[in-house]
């Protein structure tokens, strides 16, 4: 074959194989002559579909010869191996059946607008970059790591096909060994993936074994035909993508620490709105303190029975509990509000000190490290917040952009919640928690009621998804009131024993005879125990101050007969049982109680503890039920 016959005569104006084809001598007729004006690489699919087996093998050899030809180019550290617009007939992109992949670590493979007629495999390939831009896979294909660790090494994979008629698998590792039925842990490397879903075809895209070192971008994509299997999604970005129907099988989503500066975001508004909010918060705070003072110092009418007052006080104290929970969030905001403006003053007048103080203010680096303050997430969230040195430094335009970004992030979590609702209820609940958390964090203008309801729900039991939180609150409530009923509201001064009190809680109970044990006890009205002891005797009867209590009848007169009572032990064990008994305080009748409150302080504390115990117990049971529902 002479030189003129070896020249590429392809009518494709940008044919990249001109110089290469000049170096080749063809033995096969179909490989020698262009068809319809195209060279062998760019010849049409219908031409290559008619190739015999030998012609297909020869063309495959020609492809690898071109790769070797490009690798030998001098004065090039980065080699571009351009297969754009080429129609391929082979089923593998490695040299032999041993699957020894191509070693092209300094090369870029470009398959832009290429067409693969058969199911193509790029197993164990090593290269700097692979580009599948508007590529057509008529029978699917795959990029897989096999046999050994790091057999597959790709720094950047651009996978933006135009057509996928059958499934395409990107398998870095953790596939099932068919012989042993065990997962193989041999891992390949793909450092970066840029993805766009295909426009034509019914094929699905499978990502298997993505690890935490793989940065994959799926933003703004429709991912209904994408599967993730055994993937660590630490660096996979899904913001503004449709992922409600995406399949996630045995995948690990990243967990992030909750931010410390939740409330400071609410202050990034106009100066007028800041002043309004601050005034409202301080008014609520003052009103709350006044109501708390009134309730704590309200006496009980001597002419009314305690049982008739129980319901009234239960309602009042329940309202007080809600108010106290509101004050928790309010105090949190007030502290951040003061710190924020205090720092601005320091930054203006004492710059050297302000730097140290600013480190204590809410920002992205000051994060709670407690394990209980974590939430499931996607990589986008970490990226969004890491870009903010301080939310207080954002101008109005940046803040609007930040708010809209968080709304998009919230929508992503809502989709993931629905995605897992019928598959894994616990994971769905975790994404529900994160969705509500982003709603709380987002500085989009919201009413004080809406904000505080979210904050209270978050602090109580993590939006119904964290049963450990209310359990800790429940234990703290029990512990605090145990201390109160032991050292502040002491036994025999603020509450006394009843005929039902176990004798092991009573001083000297072992020395009492059956005749000395009280057979009945009824307190017709609640009055300070010390006031009772001021009355040392009745008609013709001497009273022992330590054991005798004179009660009132319903008419307000002193009772004629004295009633003996037993002295409670002054111990923390008695205080703990008193605190524990309050869980049923409003619902137990006087004749069944172990302890009887005789001061308004003890009565108020008991009702208050009852409300707290029931509130946190209910929050605990609700969160626990949601975690074990399925």
């Amino acid at each position: 074959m002479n030189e003129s016959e070896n020249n590429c005569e392809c009518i494709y104006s940008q044919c990249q194989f001109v110089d290469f084809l000049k170096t080749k001598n063809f033995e096969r007729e179909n490989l020698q002559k262009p068809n319809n004006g195209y060279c062998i690489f760019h010849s049409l699919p219908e031409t290559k579909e008619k190739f015999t087996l030998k012609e297909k093998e020869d063309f495959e050899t020609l492809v690898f010869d071109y790769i070797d030809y490009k690798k030998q180019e001098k004065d090039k550290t980065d080699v571009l191996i351009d297969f754009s617009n080429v129609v391929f007939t082979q089923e593998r992109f490695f040299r032999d059946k041993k699957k020894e992949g191509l070693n092209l670590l300094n090369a870029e493979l470009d398959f832009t607008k290429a067409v693969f007629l058969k199911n193509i495999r790029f197993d164990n390939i090593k290269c700097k970059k692979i580009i599948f831009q508007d590529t057509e896979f008529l029978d699917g294909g795959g990029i897989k790591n096999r046999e050994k660790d790091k057999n597959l090494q790709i720094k950047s994979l651009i996978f933006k096909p135009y057509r996928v008629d059958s499934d395409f698998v990107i398998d870095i590792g953790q596939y099932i060994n068919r012989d042993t039925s065990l997962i193989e842990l041999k891992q390949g490397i793909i450092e970066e993936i840029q993805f766009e879903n295909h426009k034509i075809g019914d094929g699905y895209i499978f990502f298997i074994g993505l690890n935490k070192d793989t940065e994959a971008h799926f933003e703004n994509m429709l991912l209904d035909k994408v599967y993730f299997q055994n993937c660590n999604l630490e660096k996979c970005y899904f913001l503004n993508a449709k992922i409600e129907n995406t399949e996630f099988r045995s995948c690990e989503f990243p967990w992030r620490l909750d931010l410390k500066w939740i409330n400071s975001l609410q202050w990034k508004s106009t100066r007028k709105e800041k002043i309004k909010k601050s005034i409202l918060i301080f008014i609520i705070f003052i009103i709350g303190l006044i109501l708390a003072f009134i309730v704590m110092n309200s006496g009980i009418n001597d002419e009314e029975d305690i049982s008739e007052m129980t319901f009234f006080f239960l309602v009042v104290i329940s309202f007080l509990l809600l108010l106290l929970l509101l004050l928790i969030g309010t105090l949190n905001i007030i502290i951040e509000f003061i710190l924020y403006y205090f720092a601005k003053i320091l930054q203006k007048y004492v710059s050297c000190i302000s730097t140290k103080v600013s480190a204590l203010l809410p920002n992205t680096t000051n994060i709670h490290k407690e394990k209980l303050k974590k939430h499931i997430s996607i990589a986008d969230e970490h990226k969004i917040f890491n870009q903010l040195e301080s939310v207080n430094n954002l101008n109005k335009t940046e803040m609007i952009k930040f708010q809209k970004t968080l709304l998009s992030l919230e929508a992503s979590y809502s989709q993931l919640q629905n995605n897992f609702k019928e598959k894994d209820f616990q994971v769905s609940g975790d994404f529900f928690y994160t969705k509500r958390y982003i709603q709380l964090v987002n500085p989009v203008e919201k009413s004080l009621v809406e904000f505080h309801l979210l904050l209270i729900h978050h602090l109580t039991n993590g939006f119904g998804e964290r049963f450990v939180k209310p359990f800790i609150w429940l234990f703290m409530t029990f512990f605090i009131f145990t201390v109160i009923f032991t050292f502040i509201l002491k036994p025999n001064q603020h509450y006394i024993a009843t005929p039902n009190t176990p004798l092991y809680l009573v001083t000297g109970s072992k020395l009492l005879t059956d005749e000395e044990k009280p057979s009945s006890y009824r307190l017709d009205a609640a009055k300070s125990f010390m006031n009772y002891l001021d009355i040392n005797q009745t008609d013709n009867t001497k009273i022992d101050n330590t054991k005798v209590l004179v009660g009132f009848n319903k008419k307000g007169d002193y009772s004629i007969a004295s009633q003996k009572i037993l002295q409670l032990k002054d111990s923390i064990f008695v205080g703990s049982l008193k605190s524990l008994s309050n869980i049923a305080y409003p619902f137990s009748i006087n004749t069944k109680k172990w302890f009887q409150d005789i001061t308004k302080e003890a009565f108020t504390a008991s009702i208050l503890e009852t409300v707290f115990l029931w509130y946190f117990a209910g929050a605990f049971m609700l969160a626990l039920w949601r975690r074990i529902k399925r």
Side-chain angles (χ1 to χ4, degrees):
M1 181 178 296
N2 58 41
E3 183 176 351
S4 62
E5 292 175 328
N6 289 334
N7 291 338
C8 177
E9 301 176 11
C10 181
I11 64 174
Y12 179 62
S13 60
Q14 299 177 349
C15 182
Q16 64 272 37
F17 303 102
V18 175
D19 295 334
F20 167 70
L21 290 177
K22 290 179 181 180
T23 66
K24 304 302 293 181
N25 292 319
F26 299 107
E27 299 178 359
R28 306 296 298 177
E29 182 70 17
N30 283 344
L31 298 184
Q32 179 180 353
K33 295 181 179 180
N35 183 274
N36 295 328
Y38 292 96
C39 71
I40 183 59
F41 286 95
H42 292 131
S43 58
L44 300 178
E46 50 266 26
T47 300
K48 289 186 176 177
E49 286 177 350
K50 298 177 182 179
F51 276 7
T52 64
L53 179 60
K54 178 60 177 175
E55 289 170 340
K56 292 179 180 178
E57 292 176 353
D58 289 344
F59 177 69
E60 182 177 340
T61 301
L62 192 63
V63 169
F64 290 118
D65 288 346
Y66 176 69
I67 293 174
D68 293 335
Y69 170 79
K70 297 296 289 185
K71 287 173 61 178
Q72 294 172 2
E73 290 185 350
K74 297 180 180 180
D75 301 329
K76 286 189 177 181
T77 55
D78 295 331
V79 179
L80 175 61
I81 303 176
D82 188 359
F83 285 111
S84 58
N85 295 283
V86 174
V87 179
F88 291 91
T89 59
Q90 67 259 46
E91 297 180 358
R92 55 191 174 92
F93 221 84
F94 42 86
R95 291 188 183 277
D96 51 44
K97 295 182 179 179
K98 294 182 179 180
K99 297 183 180 180
E100 295 181 1
L102 294 173
N103 191 341
L104 307 169
L105 288 177
N106 294 324
E108 297 182 6
L109 288 170
D110 187 356
F111 295 98
T112 300
K113 296 185 178 180
V115 178
F116 292 91
L117 301 178
K118 302 294 183 180
N119 186 289
I120 184 68
R121 294 283 295 274
F122 293 86
D123 292 358
N124 300 334
I125 191 171
K126 297 180 178 66
C127 66
K128 183 177 180 180
K129 189 175 186 179
I130 300 182
I131 302 173
F132 295 107
Q133 181 77 43
D134 295 327
T135 309
E136 298 184 35
F137 298 96
L138 304 186
D139 194 25
I143 303 174
K144 302 181 180 182
N145 182 85
R146 290 295 182 265
E147 307 301 329
K148 299 178 182 179
D149 280 333
K150 300 181 180 179
N151 264 354
L152 175 70
Q153 296 184 34
I154 303 174
K155 289 187 177 181
S156 177
L157 170 63
I158 299 177
F159 192 80
K160 302 178 180 180
Y162 175 76
R163 178 176 179 178
V164 179
D165 286 346
S166 189
D167 298 343
F168 194 98
V169 179
I170 300 175
D171 184 355
I172 298 180
Q174 298 194 30
Y175 63 94
I176 297 296
N177 188 313
R178 295 181 180 179
D179 297 329
T180 62
S181 296
L182 298 176
I183 292 180
E184 293 290 345
L185 299 180
K186 299 178 177 63
Q187 290 272 316
I189 298 175
I190 300 181
E191 295 183 9
E192 181 186 18
I193 299 175
Q194 296 182 32
F195 177 84
E196 284 187 10
N197 44 282
H198 48 284
K199 285 75 174 176
I200 299 176
D202 297 326
Y204 284 79
I205 310 299
F206 290 81
F207 291 93
I208 301 176
L210 297 183
N211 53 54
K212 61 181 181 180
D213 297 321
T214 302
E215 181 176 325
H217 293 270
F218 303 96
E219 300 98 324
N220 306 310
M221 292 295 108
L222 176 65
L223 302 179
D224 286 349
K225 294 184 177 182
V226 179
Y227 282 68
F228 294 89
Q229 177 76 40
N230 297 333
C231 293
N232 186 319
L233 305 175
E234 181 75 24
K235 294 184 179 180
C236 293
Y237 300 93
F238 297 99
L239 192 64
N240 209 32
K242 186 178 184 301
I243 50 179
E244 186 168 353
N245 298 319
T246 306
E247 288 287 341
F248 296 95
R249 301 174 180 176
S250 302
C251 292
E252 298 179 34
F253 286 89
W255 286 75
R256 305 294 179 195
L257 293 170
D258 290 355
L259 299 174
K260 185 178 181 179
W261 42 280
I262 292 176
N263 299 316
S264 63
L265 296 176
Q266 310 305 319
W267 297 106
K268 196 60 182 178
S269 54
T270 64
R271 184 181 301 274
K272 185 176 181 181
E273 291 171 341
K274 289 179 183 178
I275 294 175
K276 286 182 178 180
K277 280 189 174 183
S278 61
I279 292 176
L280 282 175
I281 288 173
F282 278 107
I283 290 176
I284 293 174
F285 184 71
I286 296 300
I287 292 176
L289 292 179
I290 294 175
L291 289 177
F293 179 81
I294 292 174
V295 173
M296 291 298 296
N297 290 276
S298 60
I300 301 176
N301 193 333
D302 293 341
E303 297 181 357
E304 295 182 356
D305 190 85
I306 290 180
S307 59
E308 297 175 358
M309 299 291 294
T310 300
F311 178 76
F312 169 75
F313 270 90
L314 186 61
V315 173
V316 173
I317 300 301
S318 298
F319 173 77
L320 179 62
L321 170 64
L322 294 177
L323 185 61
L324 289 175
L325 291 173
L326 181 65
L327 291 179
I328 292 174
T330 303
L331 277 173
N332 196 6
I333 290 183
I334 292 172
I335 292 171
E336 291 193 4
F337 179 73
I338 294 174
L339 286 176
Y340 172 65
Y341 283 102
F342 180 64
K344 293 191 71 173
I345 294 173
L346 288 179
Q347 288 172 2
K348 186 175 181 179
Y349 297 104
V350 193
S351 59
C352 60
I353 300 177
S354 65
T355 303
K356 296 181 180 180
V357 174
S358 297
L360 302 176
L361 293 178
N363 55 55
T364 54
T365 58
N366 292 334
I367 296 176
H368 290 299
K369 296 182 179 179
E370 291 85 347
K371 186 177 180 181
L372 294 178
K373 295 186 177 180
K374 286 185 176 182
H375 60 273
I376 198 169
S377 66
I378 54 179
D380 305 82
E381 178 185 329
H382 185 66
K383 188 176 181 180
I384 290 168
F385 288 117
N386 275 358
Q387 293 178 353
L388 302 175
E389 294 181 359
S390 174
V391 69
N392 294 319
N393 294 330
L394 297 180
N395 57 41
K396 185 175 181 180
T397 302
E398 291 172 336
M399 178 55 70
I400 294 175
K401 184 188 298 185
F402 179 63
Q403 293 172 355
K404 291 185 178 298
T405 302
L406 289 186
L407 288 174
S408 180
L409 185 62
E410 178 190 332
S412 297
Y413 289 134
S414 180
Q415 289 186 73
L416 288 169
Q417 175 198 349
N418 295 330
N419 188 309
F420 284 95
K421 186 173 292 184
E422 300 299 329
K423 305 169 188 175
D424 191 324
F425 194 78
Q426 283 71 34
V427 176
S428 177
D430 288 332
F431 279 114
F432 172 78
Y433 172 92
T434 306
K435 179 183 73 172
R436 290 297 190 196
Y437 179 76
I438 295 300
Q439 289 178 351
L440 177 62
V441 169
N442 197 338
V444 171
E445 288 300 321
K446 52 176 73 75
S447 66
L448 286 176
V449 174
E450 180 184 1
F451 172 73
H452 282 90
L453 285 177
L454 282 171
L455 185 61
I456 292 170
H457 201 188
H458 172 59
L459 294 175
T460 302
N461 62 354
F463 306 109
E465 299 295 337
R466 299 290 186 268
F467 64 86
V468 177
K469 275 188 175 182
F471 180 80
I472 293 175
W473 285 116
L474 192 65
F475 178 80
M476 289 180 61
T477 300
F478 169 71
F479 175 78
I480 291 171
F481 279 92
T482 294
V483 173
I484 291 175
F485 286 115
T486 302
F487 302 104
I488 301 176
L489 304 179
K490 295 183 177 181
N492 303 312
Q493 296 182 22
H494 294 274
Y495 60 95
I496 58 178
T498 71
N500 300 304
T501 305
L503 294 182
Y504 58 80
L505 300 179
V506 178
T507 303
S509 59
K510 293 183 179 179
L511 301 177
L512 299 176
T513 63
D514 291 337
E515 289 76 14
E516 293 175 318
K517 297 176 185 178
S519 57
S520 63
Y521 174 76
R522 184 171 68 88
L523 188 63
D524 293 322
K527 194 171 179 63
S528 172
F529 185 49
M530 299 306 297
N531 291 339
Y532 288 121
L533 296 182
D534 290 340
I535 305 170
N536 293 323
Q537 60 182 1
T538 58
D539 296 342
N540 302 322
T541 305
K542 290 185 177 181
I543 302 174
D544 183 354
N545 288 350
T546 62
K547 293 186 177 182
V548 178
L549 176 67
V550 176
F552 287 91
N553 58 24
K554 292 185 177 181
K555 295 181 179 180
D557 300 328
Y558 290 111
S559 61
I560 297 175
S562 62
Q563 298 176 344
K564 290 186 177 181
I565 60 173
L566 301 177
Q567 286 284 306
L568 290 170
K569 293 180 179 179
D570 191 5
S571 67
I572 195 169
F573 181 62
V574 172
S576 64
L577 288 180
K578 164 59 178 169
S579 176
L580 188 62
S581 68
N582 284 334
I583 197 168
Y585 186 86
F587 312 105
S588 57
I589 59 178
N590 290 337
T591 57
K592 299 295 183 180
K593 292 180 179 178
W594 285 12
F595 307 97
Q596 177 65 54
D597 296 321
I598 58 173
T599 65
K600 62 178 179 294
E601 291 84 2
F603 177 76
T604 303
S606 296
I607 293 294
L608 186 63
E609 184 190 10
T610 300
V611 175
F612 272 103
L613 289 175
W614 275 91
Y615 176 78
F616 291 123
F620 169 76
M621 294 302 298
L622 175 63
L624 183 62
W625 176 77
R626 288 182 63 85
R627 299 308 294 175
I628 65 176
K629 184 176 180 181
R630 292 185 182 179

